[in-house]
Amino acid sequence: MACVKDSQLRNERKHLELPELIRFLESGASYPHGPSDVRSIQTHISWVFIASPFVFKMKKPVNLGFADFSTLEKRRHFCRREVELNRRLCPEVYLGVVPIFKTASGFSFNGNGRIAEYCVKMKELPRGWFLSELLTKNLVGEAEINRVISRLHRFYQAQAPSPEIELWGTSEKLKISTDENFAQVEPCVGKTISPAAFETVRRFANRFYAMHEKLFRERIQQHRIHDCHGDLHLDHIHITPGTLSIFDCIEFNDRFRFIDIANDLAFLAMDFDFKGRSDLANLLLRNAAREFRDAEMLQLIDFYKCYRAFVRGKVESIQANASLSPPPTPLPSPGDFIVPLSPGQRAISSGKLDSEEHAKQAARYFRLALRYAIAGSERLVLVAMGPVGTGKTTVARQLARELDWPVFSSDQIRKTLAGISLTERTAPEQRDRVYSEQMSEQTYKELLRQGLVALEKQRGVVLDATFSKRTYREFLRQECEKSKVHLQVIELDTNRDQIEKRLRARDRSAGEISDARLEDLEKLTAAYEPPSELVADLIKISANDSAFDTVKTALFQLSEKRLH
């Protein structure tokens, strides 16, 4: 009991000393080398003081559950671990652990008084050479990618993983982290992630474990589980013509480093995808699989990229809340939670972004995670088709919002080509021309053209069209095949009562684009040719329920197809 009280007193004294200690470290006069200026940066777990040509990193006296720095002894331990672990990949950056002493006159770096705190001392890395900076200047290519791969390959090869480390490659151990993530993100549902996206990603992860347990075991047998970096992303790689430093690995929780090398690489690949450079993500993975002689890693990459994107969404959601008020409860893991920090110029404090910006970033990451779950890393043309009145447009638009993809509508394209106002119903005397076979062929060609052009920048598009004739669907399939993009078709099916109800509602809708009304139902139904030929690429869904339920079912089924 006395030990508990003594510890509490020490912690209380530490908190009282903290502002004074921060002021000490922010003053250039405090450092033996006398820097002219000191810049300080704060994250949830550290303070970083840039005192050129060095950087001093001090851990906060906190216990966040996944990282416990609550005592001086623990901070000393993890400072030493940070230096020890990071020297594996960049020994030239991590110079050592420096004690800070408390004297009667204040704090000091000299050896007098009691030790009040510990700092990790690092060499400052010159700005302009972090991989994230090079990417913005379009200076990342195969040469840079291969240098990173070679360094990582030597790093992994130098290890002989123990049974304790390899145990963390089992699906049971991996599920600890993913279950933790879903529990921690649940309060964010409806805020930064939609209910449908949350349920789809969770279902995808759990189904992946169940269906690929053998693959996880094989990865262990092949000795692909290592003591990795754990936080491998663009901001943690510094590459000049003569040097390469990969730094800031996870030191505070071994679980987040004891991972499959595919999991380690997936973070960097996801980062490239997030920045709109899927070409570099694919190059990284293709060349790494070849150099590591590990083609099987590609079977796991989309799963791990989904995991990494989901974690980043979680982190940004938490930072959005933290921007509004200090978090009163332990914050979640894993190492991805650390705000990207480079020893020197690249540190970015969460305080630099406001709550709204963090929330926007969170939503972007969550949508990326969803895209991995339903489409993987492939470019995808997703078609919402079906008879008149089945809710294609509503479902297509909602799917496009969930995935952050553009949506293209045949109704809109047809009227644009015909020179008719979108919300104006086509006059009876013009309908034979507007809905002629020639105009329909032109409409579908333009629909596909616009969709495929959008795929040059996007990873996916949604097409909203009836595709009532087999000839239109065959044209769709051939164009996707020529463009080497994946095709997935969702056919919506609705009962007659629902169709009639929706068609009647169009008469009261001022923004309706489609010309189809109840009086057209029999003719349009008779003209619809069921897509019986689209066996491999077809998902048939009942749209009798709400649009939300229909979209969730569509996402579930799309993710299920990714698993087979």
Side-chain angles (χ1 to χ4, degrees):
M1 190 69 178
C3 291
V4 173
K5 289 181 178 178
D6 287 345
S7 175
Q8 289 173 340
L9 288 172
R10 285 196 299 271
N11 282 337
E12 288 173 7
R13 181 173 63 187
K14 179 66 192 171
H15 283 286
L16 289 172
E17 291 176 346
L18 210 46
E20 183 187 350
L21 179 57
I22 299 300
R23 286 193 295 273
F24 167 79
L25 289 166
E26 287 179 330
S27 170
S30 303
Y31 296 86
H33 65 287
S36 59
D37 179 54
V38 178
R39 285 157 289 149
S40 63
I41 298 159
Q42 182 179 175
T43 75
H44 287 82
I45 60 174
S46 303
W47 281 278
V48 178
F49 302 91
I50 304 164
S52 298
F54 304 112
V55 175
F56 295 79
K57 182 178 176 183
M58 184 179 75
K59 301 184 186 304
K60 290 184 175 181
V62 293
N63 181 357
L64 303 178
F66 69 93
D68 183 1
F69 305 144
S70 57
T71 68
L72 180 62
E73 177 56 30
K74 288 177 179 178
R75 294 192 293 280
R76 180 186 67 86
H77 169 75
F78 285 113
C79 281
R80 290 180 175 178
R81 285 292 283 164
E82 180 171 354
V83 172
E84 174 189 358
L85 290 167
N86 278 291
R87 279 179 172 171
R88 298 176 302 170
L89 277 164
C90 53
E92 72 285 354
V93 172
Y94 286 79
L95 303 177
V97 178
V98 176
I100 300 173
F101 300 90
K102 181 65 185 293
T103 67
S105 58
F107 292 98
S108 171
F109 279 107
N110 67 35
N112 297 322
R114 66 175 176 85
I115 295 178
E117 196 51 83
Y118 294 91
C119 285
V120 173
K121 183 179 180 181
M122 297 170 281
K123 184 187 296 182
E124 182 183 15
L125 295 173
R127 69 175 67 198
W129 296 99
F130 294 91
L131 204 54
S132 54
E133 294 174 315
L134 295 173
L135 188 66
T136 62
K137 294 181 282 190
N138 200 30
L139 294 176
V140 179
E142 188 164 13
E144 289 73 28
I145 294 288
N146 286 343
R147 285 180 64 190
V148 173
I149 290 171
S150 295
R151 174 63 64 87
L152 290 171
H153 193 199
R154 293 195 300 272
F155 172 55
Y156 299 139
Q157 279 188 318
Q159 299 185 37
S162 67
E164 177 194 2
I165 291 173
E166 293 187 324
L167 184 64
W168 286 99
T170 64
S171 56
E172 293 82 6
K173 290 290 190 181
L174 285 165
K175 205 169 183 299
I176 293 172
S177 294
T178 51
D179 284 350
E180 179 181 71
N181 287 333
F182 294 126
Q184 291 163 348
V185 168
E186 203 150 10
C188 305
V189 173
K191 299 173 184 176
T192 53
I193 183 171
S194 75
F198 177 81
E199 292 296 340
T200 300
V201 174
R202 178 163 65 178
R203 188 174 186 273
F204 169 74
N206 291 335
R207 292 281 293 141
F208 194 95
Y209 287 131
M211 296 182 68
H212 296 284
E213 187 176 345
K214 181 183 176 184
L215 180 57
F216 288 113
R217 288 200 306 270
E218 288 174 349
R219 300 294 290 175
I220 296 172
Q221 292 163 4
Q222 294 164 4
H223 305 294
R224 302 296 187 182
I225 316 303
H226 287 253
D227 186 343
C228 294
H229 183 281
D231 203 20
L232 189 65
H233 59 79
L234 292 167
D235 284 303
H236 288 171
I237 299 173
H238 186 272
I239 181 167
T240 72
T243 64
L244 171 60
S245 300
I246 303 175
F247 55 92
D248 213 9
C249 77
I250 301 298
E251 89 284 355
F252 51 79
N253 195 321
D254 291 343
R255 172 161 61 104
F256 305 136
R257 290 193 329 278
F258 296 169
I259 55 176
D260 194 316
I261 59 175
N263 191 347
D264 219 22
L265 285 170
F267 197 162
L268 186 54
M270 183 277 294
D271 225 6
F272 278 127
D273 284 340
F274 186 75
K275 300 292 186 182
R277 294 302 305 269
S278 294
D279 57 325
L280 294 177
N282 294 336
L283 178 66
L284 167 75
L285 297 172
R286 184 172 62 248
N287 289 7
R290 183 176 63 244
E291 178 151 341
F292 297 173
R293 296 183 180 178
D294 184 14
E296 291 80 9
M297 76 158 58
L298 301 179
Q299 299 176 44
L300 286 158
I301 282 295
D302 286 335
F303 169 78
Y304 282 128
K305 287 204 287 189
C306 179
Y307 161 72
R308 292 294 189 174
F310 193 86
V311 170
R312 289 303 306 165
K314 176 187 71 174
V315 169
E316 293 290 340
S317 297
I318 294 162
Q319 290 174 322
N321 291 333
S323 298
L324 297 173
S325 60
T329 54
L331 298 173
S333 56
D336 308 279
F337 181 74
I338 301 178
V339 178
L341 265 185
S342 307
Q345 308 298 333
R346 290 299 302 157
I348 302 174
S349 168
S350 62
K352 296 288 182 69
L353 295 178
D354 62 21
S355 176
E356 184 178 351
E357 287 302 313
H358 280 301
K360 286 179 181 177
Q361 289 288 83
R364 285 188 62 204
Y365 277 115
F366 283 134
R367 286 194 293 263
L368 180 58
L370 178 63
R371 293 198 293 269
Y372 289 136
I374 67 106
S377 298
E378 294 181 285
R379 292 187 299 160
L380 176 66
V381 172
L382 179 60
V383 176
M385 65 163 286
V388 63
T390 50
K392 298 182 297 297
T393 297
T394 300
V395 170
R397 287 173 178 173
Q398 184 58 39
L399 284 169
R401 281 194 292 270
E402 291 282 0
L403 297 163
D404 196 24
W405 285 347
V407 60
F408 298 93
S409 161
S410 62
D411 287 330
Q412 185 171 337
I413 288 172
R414 185 186 297 271
K415 284 191 170 181
T416 301
L417 290 173
I420 297 171
S421 172
L422 294 182
T423 56
E424 174 188 340
R425 195 178 182 200
T426 304
E429 63 272 16
Q430 292 183 307
R431 289 184 190 175
D432 286 345
R433 175 182 67 86
V434 173
Y435 289 92
S436 66
E437 188 67 28
Q438 182 181 3
M439 180 62 85
S440 292
E441 288 181 7
Q442 189 178 354
T443 297
Y444 279 100
K445 284 182 180 178
E446 181 62 15
L447 178 71
L448 262 292
R449 188 196 69 80
Q450 290 187 18
L452 293 174
V453 167
L455 276 181
E456 294 174 5
K457 293 185 178 180
Q458 303 281 340
R459 299 304 295 173
V461 295
V462 180
L463 304 185
D464 162 26
T466 304
F467 280 99
S468 59
K469 292 185 178 296
R470 183 168 184 164
T471 53
Y472 303 152
R473 299 190 295 264
E474 182 61 21
F475 174 70
L476 166 71
R477 188 191 62 77
Q478 289 176 355
E479 290 300 300
C480 289
E481 193 173 289
K482 281 195 295 186
S483 299
K484 297 181 180 179
V485 299
H486 185 58
L487 170 66
Q488 187 62 63
V489 179
I490 297 172
E491 184 191 26
L492 299 178
D493 181 40
T494 311
N495 64 44
R496 178 78 177 212
D497 289 343
Q498 280 281 11
I499 291 175
E500 291 180 359
K501 181 180 177 181
R502 289 169 181 170
L503 291 177
R504 287 191 193 97
R506 289 182 179 180
D507 290 327
R508 302 187 298 272
S509 175
E512 182 61 50
I513 297 176
S514 174
D515 284 330
R517 297 295 187 272
L518 187 58
E519 62 265 27
D520 306 310
L521 179 57
E522 296 300 335
K523 179 183 176 181
L524 294 173
T525 301
Y528 183 79
E529 300 173 5
S532 55
E533 80 283 0
L534 291 176
V535 178
D537 303 322
L538 182 67
I539 294 174
K540 192 167 184 175
I541 295 174
S542 169
N544 289 318
D545 296 325
S546 67
F548 168 80
D549 289 330
T550 303
V551 167
K552 185 169 75 169
T553 300
L555 292 173
F556 276 11
Q557 293 202 30
L558 287 166
S559 69
E560 187 70 23
K561 291 202 76 170
R562 286 293 309 163
L563 296 167
H564 294 281

